[in-house]
Amino acid sequence: MSNDVLPAVALLAPLPKSSTRWLWALLVLGTICYISVFVFYPNLFWLVGVNHYGVWFLDTYALLASNDAVTRGLNAYAANPLDYFGRPHVYSHWWLHLRDLGLTRADNLWVGLALAGSFLLVTLSRLRPATPRQLLFYFAVLCSSPVLLAVNRANNDLVVFLLLTPLVSCLLDRRLGMRLVAPFFIAAAAALKYYPAAAALVLLAAVPARELRWRVALMGGLFLLVGMGAKSDLAGFGALAPQPEGFLTFGSTAFSHSLGWDGWVPKLFCAAAGAAVFGWFWHARWFANWIVPDERRADWLHFVLGAALLVGCFFTSLNFAYRWVFAVWLAPLLWSLPGDLSAPLPVRRLAAVTRALLLAVLWVDAAASFALNRFIGIVPGPELQRWADHGFLLEQPLFWAFFFCVLAFLAHFTRLGLRTLLAK
């Protein structure tokens, strides 16, 4: 071997375990320091596009205010005078049982801290960088503005994240009983916020056909029970739910909504576009019969879980950016797959593009907000708002490109799962 080759080989060699532990410690320390900066200097939230409103954990406060309203005999589904912004309760009735645990608005600080802290603890235990570049990638995902927004608000999507965290471990457990527990986590999350029903896609993970059928049947029965329990909640949900728009939001109809075109026609058009791309990748030969190696199955199933949730949200509604907390589950596979020589070349290239697009969609709003904030007091307000509206429209192709890439992976996973499910 020539001396010229030795440096390249050294760069490719895995770091010793002691080094990876230091990298993980740096990720933990860097994340804590980053968030602490906003704790001590909340005015900096504006620089990354997050509106702090001068209050931490606004979303847990809204939930606890709804419970206090019920305790006082008020209608939680109407404008709530106990909330900072008078927000009505827009979730399932199960959240209104927090009062049965003795929780009130006075508990908001420790409840918000516990929720945000638990999310960060679980996330940091999952992300284990092995190289300095991987450390930077994980830091960019975890400290992005959408994740910071979720932590700042202590949004209840963090509860969904925590509820679904054991899902992959259950599916990979050697014991049948534990594998059949997985649908119950999905049902519990769906009962709280509906959209986690999309997580059921991950149940198609490879197992014997008979077990897979039992798993799907169990999930169907649980969804029936959840639907019956949430029927009254769903009836009034559309009228009460806030309508996201502008920076730090996403959805397939964001472009048409910004232009004033709402209704079922743009939704149908976007759904058809997604279905067409999904169908194209279903028949494409990019993935061939590629099977994820056993040592990467946890990363693969986490990716599918996060991707299914994000895709479901993107194509069905407009969403606030804190839904991007599920992007944390995409990160490990998107980092490792481009360099996995056992995967087909088109798959590795697609993963590299998807990784780049993930960083783009997580940070583009922060970059735009930072740039626009430089002109406050210089450019008239209406003109600056017009710039913001145009910037938001220009961002949308990035989101579509990202979700089209993700659909490719979901099409491959679904095709393999249905092949097993329908096998004789």
Side-chain angles (χ1 to χ4, degrees), residues 127-184:
L127 300 179
R128 297 279 179 166
T131 67
R133 290 180 61 197
Q134 189 176 9
L135 166 66
L136 293 176
F137 174 63
Y138 284 169
F139 187 81
V141 171
L142 190 54
C143 294
S144 61
S145 292
V147 177
L148 182 64
L149 175 66
V151 171
N152 170 246
R153 299 285 184 87
N155 183 262
N156 54 6
D157 279 340
L158 300 184
V159 176
V160 174
F161 183 97
L162 295 172
L163 270 176
L164 296 178
T165 291
L167 192 57
V168 171
S169 296
C170 288
L171 292 175
L172 294 177
D173 198 283
R174 294 182 178 182
R175 294 163 292 180
L176 175 61
M178 286 300 298
R179 294 197 297 273
L180 292 180
V181 168
F184 289 90

Coordinates of all heavy atoms in Angstrom, one line a residue, residues 127-184:
L127 N -29.6 9.5 19.4 CA -28.6 10.0 18.4 C -27.2 9.8 19.0 O -26.8 10.5 19.9 CB -28.9 11.5 18.1 CG -30.3 11.9 17.6 CD1 -30.4 13.4 17.4 CD2 -30.5 11.1 16.3
R128 N -26.5 8.9 18.3 CA -25.1 8.6 18.8 C -24.1 8.9 17.7 O -23.9 8.0 16.9 CB -25.1 7.1 19.2 CG -26.0 6.8 20.4 CD -25.3 7.2 21.7 NE -26.2 6.9 22.9 CZ -25.7 6.9 24.1 NH1 -24.5 7.2 24.4 NH2 -26.5 6.7 25.1
P129 N -23.6 10.1 17.6 CA -22.6 10.3 16.5 C -21.3 9.5 16.6 O -20.8 9.3 17.7 CB -22.4 11.9 16.7 CG -22.6 12.1 18.1 CD -23.7 11.2 18.5
A130 N -20.9 9.1 15.5 CA -19.6 8.3 15.4 C -18.5 9.1 14.8 O -17.3 8.7 14.8 CB -19.8 7.0 14.7
T131 N -18.8 10.2 14.1 CA -17.8 11.1 13.5 C -18.1 12.5 13.7 O -19.3 12.9 14.0 CB -17.8 10.8 11.9 OG1 -19.0 11.3 11.4 CG2 -17.6 9.4 11.6
P132 N -17.1 13.4 13.6 CA -17.4 14.9 13.8 C -18.5 15.4 12.9 O -19.3 16.2 13.3 CB -16.1 15.5 13.6 CG -15.1 14.5 14.0 CD -15.7 13.2 13.5
R133 N -18.5 14.9 11.6 CA -19.5 15.4 10.7 C -20.9 14.9 11.0 O -21.9 15.7 10.9 CB -19.1 14.9 9.3 CG -17.9 15.6 8.6 CD -17.6 15.0 7.3 NE -18.8 15.3 6.4 CZ -19.0 14.7 5.2 NH1 -18.1 13.7 4.8 NH2 -20.0 14.9 4.4
Q134 N -21.0 13.7 11.5 CA -22.3 13.2 12.0 C -22.8 14.0 13.2 O -24.0 14.3 13.3 CB -22.1 11.7 12.3 CG -23.5 11.0 12.6 CD -23.3 9.5 12.9 OE1 -22.2 9.0 13.0 NE2 -24.4 8.8 12.9
L135 N -21.8 14.4 14.1 CA -22.2 15.2 15.2 C -22.8 16.5 14.7 O -23.8 16.9 15.3 CB -20.9 15.5 16.0 CG -21.0 16.6 17.1 CD1 -22.0 16.2 18.2 CD2 -19.6 16.9 17.7
L136 N -22.2 17.2 13.8 CA -22.7 18.4 13.2 C -24.1 18.2 12.6 O -25.0 19.1 12.7 CB -21.7 19.0 12.2 CG -20.4 19.5 12.8 CD1 -19.5 20.0 11.7 CD2 -20.6 20.6 13.8
F137 N -24.3 17.1 11.9 CA -25.6 16.8 11.3 C -26.7 16.7 12.3 O -27.7 17.3 12.2 CB -25.5 15.6 10.4 CG -26.8 15.1 9.8 CD1 -27.5 15.9 8.9 CD2 -27.3 13.9 10.2 CE1 -28.7 15.5 8.4 CE2 -28.5 13.5 9.6 CZ -29.2 14.3 8.7
Y138 N -26.4 15.9 13.3 CA -27.4 15.7 14.4 C -27.7 17.0 15.1 O -28.8 17.3 15.5 CB -26.9 14.6 15.4 CG -26.9 13.2 14.9 CD1 -26.3 12.2 15.6 CD2 -27.6 12.9 13.8 CE1 -26.4 10.9 15.2 CE2 -27.7 11.6 13.3 CZ -27.0 10.6 14.0 OH -27.1 9.3 13.6
F139 N -26.6 17.8 15.4 CA -26.8 19.0 16.0 C -27.7 20.0 15.2 O -28.6 20.6 15.7 CB -25.5 19.7 16.3 CG -25.6 21.0 17.1 CD1 -25.7 20.9 18.5 CD2 -25.5 22.2 16.5 CE1 -25.8 22.0 19.3 CE2 -25.6 23.4 17.3 CZ -25.7 23.3 18.7
A140 N -27.5 20.0 13.9 CA -28.3 20.8 13.0 C -29.8 20.4 13.0 O -30.7 21.2 12.9 CB -27.8 20.7 11.6
V141 N -30.0 19.1 13.1 CA -31.4 18.6 13.2 C -32.1 18.9 14.5 O -33.2 19.5 14.6 CB -31.5 17.1 12.9 CG1 -32.9 16.5 13.2 CG2 -31.0 16.8 11.5
L142 N -31.3 18.6 15.6 CA -31.9 18.7 16.9 C -32.1 20.2 17.4 O -33.0 20.5 18.1 CB -31.0 18.0 17.9 CG -31.5 17.8 19.3 CD1 -32.9 17.1 19.3 CD2 -30.5 17.0 20.1
C143 N -31.2 21.1 16.9 CA -31.3 22.5 17.3 C -32.0 23.4 16.2 O -31.8 24.6 16.3 CB -29.9 23.0 17.6 SG -29.2 22.2 19.0
S144 N -32.6 22.8 15.3 CA -33.3 23.6 14.2 C -34.5 24.3 14.8 O -35.0 24.0 15.9 CB -33.8 22.6 13.1 OG -34.8 21.7 13.6
S145 N -35.0 25.3 14.2 CA -36.0 26.2 14.7 C -37.3 25.4 15.0 O -38.0 25.7 16.0 CB -36.3 27.3 13.7 OG -35.2 28.2 13.7
P146 N -37.8 24.5 14.1 CA -39.0 23.7 14.4 C -38.9 23.0 15.7 O -39.8 22.9 16.5 CB -39.1 22.8 13.2 CG -38.5 23.5 12.1 CD -37.3 24.2 12.7
V147 N -37.7 22.3 16.0 CA -37.6 21.6 17.2 C -37.5 22.5 18.4 O -38.1 22.3 19.5 CB -36.3 20.7 17.2 CG1 -36.1 20.0 18.5 CG2 -36.5 19.7 16.1
L148 N -36.8 23.7 18.2 CA -36.8 24.7 19.3 C -38.1 25.2 19.6 O -38.5 25.5 20.7 CB -35.8 25.8 18.8 CG -35.6 27.0 19.8 CD1 -34.9 26.4 21.0 CD2 -34.8 28.1 19.2
L149 N -39.0 25.4 18.5 CA -40.3 25.9 18.7 C -41.1 24.9 19.6 O -41.9 25.3 20.5 CB -41.0 26.0 17.4 CG -42.5 26.4 17.4 CD1 -42.7 27.8 18.0 CD2 -43.1 26.3 16.0
A150 N -41.0 23.6 19.3 CA -41.7 22.5 20.1 C -41.3 22.6 21.5 O -42.1 22.4 22.4 CB -41.5 21.2 19.5
V151 N -40.0 22.7 21.8 CA -39.5 22.8 23.2 C -39.9 24.0 23.9 O -40.4 24.0 25.0 CB -37.9 22.7 23.2 CG1 -37.4 22.9 24.5 CG2 -37.5 21.3 22.6
N152 N -39.9 25.1 23.2 CA -40.3 26.4 23.7 C -41.8 26.4 24.1 O -42.2 26.9 25.2 CB -40.1 27.5 22.7 CG -40.7 28.8 23.1 OD1 -41.7 29.3 22.4 ND2 -40.3 29.4 24.2
R153 N -42.6 25.8 23.3 CA -44.0 25.7 23.6 C -44.4 24.5 24.5 O -45.5 24.5 25.0 CB -44.8 25.6 22.3 CG -44.6 26.8 21.3 CD -45.4 28.0 21.8 NE -45.3 29.1 20.9 CZ -46.1 29.3 19.8 NH1 -47.1 28.4 19.6 NH2 -45.9 30.3 19.0
A154 N -43.5 23.5 24.6 CA -43.8 22.3 25.2 C -45.1 21.7 24.6 O -46.1 21.3 25.2 CB -44.0 22.4 26.7
N155 N -45.1 21.7 23.2 CA -46.2 21.3 22.5 C -46.6 19.9 22.7 O -45.7 19.0 22.9 CB -46.0 21.6 21.0 CG -47.2 21.3 20.1 OD1 -47.3 20.2 19.6 ND2 -48.2 22.2 20.1
N156 N -47.9 19.5 22.6 CA -48.2 18.1 22.9 C -47.9 17.2 21.8 O -48.0 16.0 22.0 CB -49.7 18.1 23.2 CG -50.6 18.6 22.2 OD1 -50.1 19.0 21.1 ND2 -51.9 18.7 22.4
D157 N -47.3 17.6 20.7 CA -46.6 16.7 19.8 C -45.5 16.0 20.5 O -45.1 14.8 20.1 CB -46.1 17.4 18.6 CG -47.3 17.6 17.6 OD1 -48.3 16.9 17.6 OD2 -47.1 18.5 16.7
L158 N -44.9 16.6 21.5 CA -43.8 15.9 22.3 C -44.4 14.7 23.0 O -43.7 13.7 23.2 CB -43.2 16.9 23.2 CG -42.5 18.1 22.6 CD1 -41.8 18.9 23.7 CD2 -41.5 17.7 21.5
V159 N -45.7 14.8 23.5 CA -46.3 13.7 24.1 C -46.5 12.5 23.1 O -46.2 11.4 23.5 CB -47.7 14.1 24.7 CG1 -48.4 12.9 25.3 CG2 -47.5 15.2 25.8
V160 N -46.9 12.9 21.9 CA -47.0 11.8 20.9 C -45.7 11.2 20.6 O -45.6 10.0 20.5 CB -47.6 12.5 19.6 CG1 -47.6 11.4 18.5 CG2 -49.0 13.0 19.8
F161 N -44.6 12.0 20.5 CA -43.3 11.5 20.3 C -42.9 10.5 21.4 O -42.4 9.4 21.1 CB -42.3 12.7 20.2 CG -40.9 12.3 19.9 CD1 -40.4 12.4 18.6 CD2 -40.0 11.8 20.9 CE1 -39.1 12.1 18.4 CE2 -38.7 11.5 20.6 CZ -38.3 11.6 19.4
L162 N -43.1 10.9 22.6 CA -42.8 10.0 23.7 C -43.6 8.7 23.7 O -43.1 7.6 24.0 CB -42.9 10.7 25.0 CG -42.0 11.9 25.2 CD1 -42.3 12.7 26.5 CD2 -40.5 11.4 25.3
L163 N -44.9 8.8 23.4 CA -45.8 7.7 23.3 C -45.3 6.7 22.3 O -45.4 5.4 22.5 CB -47.2 8.1 23.1 CG -48.1 8.4 24.3 CD1 -49.5 8.9 23.8 CD2 -48.3 7.1 25.1
L164 N -44.8 7.2 21.1 CA -44.4 6.3 20.0 C -43.0 5.9 20.1 O -42.5 5.0 19.4 CB -44.6 7.0 18.7 CG -46.1 7.3 18.4 CD1 -46.2 8.1 17.0 CD2 -46.9 6.1 18.3
T165 N -42.2 6.4 21.1 CA -40.8 6.0 21.2 C -40.6 4.5 21.4 O -39.6 4.0 20.8 CB -40.2 6.8 22.4 OG1 -40.1 8.2 22.0 CG2 -38.8 6.4 22.7
P166 N -41.4 3.8 22.2 CA -41.1 2.4 22.4 C -41.5 1.5 21.2 O -41.3 0.3 21.2 CB -42.0 2.0 23.6 CG -42.5 3.3 24.2 CD -42.5 4.3 23.1
L167 N -42.1 2.1 20.2 CA -42.8 1.3 19.1 C -41.8 0.4 18.4 O -42.0 -0.8 18.2 CB -43.4 2.3 18.1 CG -44.4 1.7 17.1 CD1 -45.5 0.9 17.7 CD2 -44.9 2.8 16.2
V168 N -40.6 1.0 18.0 CA -39.7 0.2 17.2 C -39.1 -0.9 18.1 O -38.9 -2.0 17.6 CB -38.6 1.1 16.6 CG1 -37.4 0.3 16.0 CG2 -39.2 2.0 15.6
S169 N -38.8 -0.6 19.3 CA -38.2 -1.6 20.2 C -39.2 -2.8 20.4 O -38.8 -4.0 20.4 CB -37.9 -1.0 21.6 OG -36.9 0.0 21.5
C170 N -40.5 -2.5 20.4 CA -41.5 -3.6 20.5 C -41.5 -4.4 19.3 O -41.5 -5.6 19.3 CB -42.9 -3.0 20.7 SG -43.2 -2.3 22.4
L171 N -41.4 -3.8 18.1 CA -41.5 -4.5 16.8 C -40.2 -5.4 16.6 O -40.3 -6.4 15.9 CB -41.6 -3.5 15.7 CG -42.9 -2.8 15.6 CD1 -42.9 -1.7 14.5 CD2 -44.1 -3.7 15.4
L172 N -39.1 -5.0 17.2 CA -37.9 -5.8 17.1 C -37.6 -6.8 18.2 O -36.6 -7.5 18.2 CB -36.7 -4.8 17.0 CG -36.7 -3.9 15.7 CD1 -35.5 -2.9 15.8 CD2 -36.6 -4.7 14.5
D173 N -38.6 -6.8 19.1 CA -38.4 -7.7 20.3 C -38.6 -9.2 19.8 O -39.4 -9.4 18.9 CB -39.4 -7.4 21.4 CG -39.1 -8.0 22.7 OD1 -39.2 -9.2 22.9 OD2 -38.6 -7.2 23.6
R174 N -37.9 -10.1 20.4 CA -37.9 -11.5 20.0 C -39.2 -12.1 20.5 O -39.6 -13.2 20.0 CB -36.8 -12.3 20.6 CG -35.4 -11.8 20.0 CD -34.3 -12.7 20.6 NE -33.0 -12.3 20.0 CZ -31.9 -12.9 20.3 NH1 -31.8 -13.9 21.2 NH2 -30.7 -12.5 19.7
R175 N -39.9 -11.5 21.5 CA -41.1 -12.1 22.1 C -42.3 -11.6 21.3 O -42.5 -10.5 21.1 CB -41.2 -11.8 23.5 CG -40.1 -12.3 24.4 CD -40.0 -11.7 25.8 NE -39.5 -10.3 25.6 CZ -39.3 -9.5 26.7 NH1 -39.6 -9.9 27.9 NH2 -38.9 -8.2 26.4
L176 N -43.2 -12.6 21.0 CA -44.4 -12.3 20.2 C -45.3 -11.3 21.0 O -45.9 -10.4 20.4 CB -45.2 -13.6 19.9 CG -46.5 -13.4 19.2 CD1 -46.4 -12.7 17.9 CD2 -47.2 -14.8 19.0
G177 N -45.4 -11.6 22.3 CA -46.3 -10.7 23.1 C -45.9 -9.3 23.0 O -46.7 -8.4 22.9
M178 N -44.6 -9.0 23.1 CA -44.1 -7.6 23.0 C -44.3 -7.0 21.6 O -44.6 -5.8 21.5 CB -42.6 -7.6 23.4 CG -42.3 -7.8 24.8 SD -43.1 -6.5 25.9 CE -42.3 -5.0 25.3
R179 N -44.2 -7.8 20.6 CA -44.4 -7.3 19.2 C -45.9 -6.9 19.0 O -46.2 -6.0 18.3 CB -44.0 -8.3 18.2 CG -42.5 -8.6 18.2 CD -42.0 -9.3 16.9 NE -42.6 -10.6 16.7 CZ -42.1 -11.7 17.2 NH1 -41.0 -11.7 17.9 NH2 -42.7 -12.9 16.9
L180 N -46.8 -7.6 19.7 CA -48.2 -7.3 19.6 C -48.6 -6.1 20.5 O -49.8 -5.7 20.4 CB -49.0 -8.5 19.9 CG -48.9 -9.7 18.9 CD1 -49.8 -10.9 19.3 CD2 -49.3 -9.2 17.5
V181 N -47.7 -5.6 21.3 CA -48.0 -4.5 22.1 C -47.9 -3.2 21.3 O -48.6 -2.2 21.6 CB -47.1 -4.4 23.3 CG1 -47.1 -3.0 24.0 CG2 -47.4 -5.5 24.3
A182 N -47.2 -3.2 20.2 CA -46.9 -2.0 19.4 C -48.2 -1.3 18.9 O -48.3 -0.1 19.0 CB -46.1 -2.4 18.1
P183 N -49.2 -2.0 18.4 CA -50.4 -1.3 18.0 C -51.1 -0.5 19.1 O -51.8 0.5 18.9 CB -51.4 -2.4 17.5 CG -50.5 -3.5 17.1 CD -49.3 -3.5 18.1
F184 N -50.9 -0.9 20.4 CA -51.5 -0.1 21.5 C -50.9 1.2 21.6 O -51.6 2.2 22.0 CB -51.4 -1.0 22.8 CG -52.3 -2.2 22.8 CD1 -51.9 -3.4 22.3 CD2 -53.6 -2.1 23.2 CE1 -52.7 -4.5 22.3 CE2 -54.5 -3.2 23.3 CZ -54.0 -4.4 22.8

